[in-house]
Amino acid sequence: MAKDVRDIRNSLHNSERYLKDTARSTAQSAESNAATSQAARSAASGAWAGAGFQAVTAFQTARAARAAEEQLALQQVMADRQNELAEQITWNEFARWRQTPEGVAFLAWREPAFGLAQTVRDRDSQWLQGWARVIGQAQAEIPADEKQRLLRRNANLRQSGLKIASIVSFAVAGLFLIALLFQVFALSITSSAPATGGFSYEDCLAALDDPDNMLFSEDDCEAINPAPAGSILPQAIPLALFLGLGIALTVVRRTKQRAARNDPTVDNEARARLERWHFDPLAVEPGYTGFTWYESPDAAGYADRLMQLALFDGHGRPPAQSDLIAVRMPTARAPHSTNPAEVNQLLGAFAQADTA
């Protein structure tokens, strides 16, 4: 019994020491990732700010920080799970389990699995940052006028300024139209109403022609004019002007959009960039990589699966021997002449580390 207790304490001590070593390794990895990101930013000092290289490197820096935080959190979860396991079973049960084939297999599998998961995650980070440097260097080689043409094309296709101006012109014309309709309606009501005392506008004009007229003036007649000449003109003129301006702006916008779509310069330059780099440095998104560093698609998420199983996630208790995942580094791709030099260097370093 005393021997079992000593063995259990030694196992827990070894686990605690491993957690501390892993934490130090994680901190060193985070510092390395930050230094690599800083080097990537320095390499892209002349890169195109609007294309996304700065966003890519910032993304990598944030990702490295998140990876370090995530790793520390996972280590804490592991310690908590181990404490929970110790509370759920007695020392004798734990001692008996660790001596079973499943217990021996899991304890022997766990530490290499943690180490491999950390190595794979480090490679993922190096791969992303390597591509960030490649993208930045490619963007720095692209002429400034070519970048500006790409930026201007999007603006030329939208023509937002002309669109807003035409909308404003039509809105103002609509206001004048409403005012004109109200005025016409008011004049129609006035013209249909009988004149006070039966004395009409025509009667007033006839009185003006009478040489003996001493009572009425032209102002008096205009005061009772049901539809004074030119009264609609102040509203009709600006209505016509703003309506014509809105139509003219719409025509100009359509013309410029059609010219931008028919201009092949930007499309030809995009095809040239694809032929040169096998990707478009001005159209990449943060986190872009041309391909994965490993050959097998099954290696995607491999490190996460190892960590999940090592933490008993979904098991509550240590997994059975049949559940253990093979601890094997994914095979790195071989360098190729069409790859960027930075990418080939990384692939070569991965292969060299695997064969060491």
Side-chain angles (χ1 to χ4, degrees):
M1 177 65 180
K3 180 177 181 301
D4 290 340
V5 171
R6 284 196 302 273
D7 290 342
I8 294 170
R9 289 176 178 174
N10 290 336
S11 175
L12 295 176
H13 174 72
N14 291 336
S15 297
E16 181 180 0
R17 184 179 60 185
Y18 174 74
L19 290 174
K20 292 180 180 179
D21 292 341
T22 307
R24 284 194 295 269
S25 174
T26 301
Q28 294 173 354
S29 175
E31 292 176 0
S32 174
N33 290 340
T36 305
S37 297
Q38 180 61 39
R41 288 194 295 272
S42 300
S45 58
W48 184 40
F53 175 75
Q54 293 180 355
V56 172
T57 52
F59 173 83
Q60 303 307 335
T61 304
R63 186 183 184 281
R66 286 197 304 270
E69 294 175 358
E70 180 187 56
Q71 183 69 10
L72 292 175
L74 288 173
Q75 293 163 9
Q76 183 61 44
V77 170
M78 178 183 175
D80 293 342
R81 290 281 178 84
Q82 201 166 22
N83 292 334
E84 292 174 2
L85 180 65
E87 294 174 359
Q88 291 173 3
I89 59 178
T90 64
W91 290 108
N92 288 335
E93 290 174 339
F94 185 80
R96 285 195 297 271
W97 173 81
R98 67 186 298 274
Q99 293 173 1
T100 64
E102 290 187 348
V104 172
F106 176 78
L107 293 176
W109 172 89
R110 184 181 59 185
E111 292 192 9
F114 264 109
L116 181 60
Q118 182 63 41
T119 302
V120 171
R121 285 179 171 176
D122 288 343
R123 287 193 180 185
D124 289 340
S125 181
Q126 294 175 34
W127 187 249
L128 287 167
Q129 293 173 4
W131 273 98
R133 289 191 293 271
V134 169
I135 293 168
Q137 293 166 3
Q139 290 173 354
E141 297 176 12
I142 298 173
D145 57 344
E146 183 174 337
K147 301 170 187 175
Q148 291 301 319
R149 274 192 294 273
L150 180 60
L151 290 175
R152 285 197 302 268
R153 189 195 190 192
N154 294 331
N156 291 337
L157 289 174
R158 290 191 300 268
Q159 292 294 332
S160 301
L162 290 174
K163 180 180 181 180
I164 294 173
S166 62
I167 291 174
V168 171
S169 296
F170 285 126
V172 175
L175 294 177
F176 280 106
L177 177 61
I178 293 172
L180 180 61
L181 292 176
F182 272 114
Q183 187 171 3
V184 170
F185 178 71
L187 291 175
S188 65
I189 294 177
T190 304
S191 62
S192 62
T196 304
F199 189 78
S200 66
Y201 176 67
E202 289 74 13
D203 295 335
C204 184
L205 293 179
L208 286 178
D209 294 336
D210 187 354
D212 298 328
N213 173 45
M214 299 292 292
L215 299 176
F216 301 104
S217 65
E218 292 183 359
D219 292 337
D220 294 330
C221 293
E222 291 300 326
I224 61 173
N225 186 359
S231 61
I232 300 179
L233 198 59
Q235 304 293 338
I237 291 177
L239 168 61
L241 289 176
F242 280 102
L243 184 61
L245 179 60
I247 294 173
L249 291 173
T250 302
V251 172
V252 171
R253 179 171 179 260
R254 300 295 184 189
T255 302
K256 289 191 173 185
Q257 286 178 321
R258 184 167 55 253
R261 285 193 295 267
N262 294 336
D263 186 0
T265 304
V266 175
D267 292 334
N268 291 339
E269 290 173 343
R271 282 192 291 269
R273 291 192 298 269
L274 286 173
E275 291 176 0
R276 178 178 178 182
W277 287 290
H278 303 287
F279 68 95
D280 189 348
L282 302 186
V284 294
E285 297 180 354
Y288 170 84
T289 61
F291 49 89
T292 59
W293 62 266
Y294 43 81
E295 290 183 349
S296 174
D298 296 336
Y302 178 62
D304 295 334
R305 293 195 299 272
L306 285 175
M307 194 68 71
Q308 183 182 29
L309 191 61
L311 296 175
F312 321 150
D313 190 11
H315 293 267
R317 298 177 67 89
Q321 185 174 357
S322 59
D323 296 331
L324 301 181
I325 301 173
V327 180
R328 182 170 53 252
M329 175 63 71
T331 303
R333 293 179 184 271
H336 195 275
S337 59
T338 60
N339 296 340
E342 178 82 21
V343 171
N344 280 334
Q345 290 175 4
L346 283 173
L347 293 175
F350 294 162
Q352 185 177 3
D354 292 341
T355 57

